[in-house]
Amino acid sequence: MADQLLQQAQDLFEGQIDFEGQKLTELFSTIILALTGLLAFVLGFAQQNIWMTLWIGLGGTALTFLVVVPPYPIYNENPENWLRANSGISGAGIEVDGKKIN
């Protein structure tokens, strides 16, 4: 029971995401920061209020942090199947220029 809870906590805090998830987080962060930056500039300029600009920018940064940093399941939908370090497979049918590698 305790081992299962510890394993779940470890999986939660490790934050593993796959390569497609990395692309997705980069896209999300770029879009959110660009839109909130543009919104902050336009509203701050229209109101002639630098504090509004800064607070909207800070809010956009915080929103980006909440969207991108936690390892949501959507960021790990295409995991890679890696070989284990101690698999004992050497060469495993790898061919280079028609020659098998051992």
Side-chain angles (χ1 to χ4, degrees):
M1 177 74 173
D3 289 336
Q4 291 175 346
L5 290 174
L6 183 61
Q7 183 64 33
Q8 289 175 352
Q10 184 179 7
D11 289 343
L12 178 68
F13 290 118
E14 278 185 1
Q16 296 180 0
I17 64 173
D18 58 26
F19 294 120
E20 295 299 320
Q22 290 177 6
K23 285 184 193 177
L24 196 58
T25 57
E26 182 180 359
L27 178 67
F28 286 162
S29 64
T30 302
I31 290 172
I32 294 171
L33 288 174
L35 289 178
T36 55
L38 182 65
L39 181 70
F41 175 76
V42 169
L43 291 177
F45 185 77
Q47 296 291 323
Q48 292 293 301
N49 188 345
I50 190 70
W51 290 109
M52 179 185 290
T53 304
L54 294 174
W55 280 108
I56 292 172
L58 181 64
T61 304
L63 176 66
T64 303
F65 180 84
L66 291 174
V67 169
V68 171
V69 172
Y72 296 117
I74 191 173
Y75 298 146
N76 199 17
E77 290 182 347
N78 303 307
E80 293 290 330
N81 295 323
W82 300 96
L83 291 177
R84 286 187 238 146
N86 297 333
S87 65
I89 301 172
S90 64
I94 298 174
E95 291 187 23
V96 176
D97 294 330
K99 297 178 184 176
K100 273 199 158 188
I101 297 175
N102 293 329

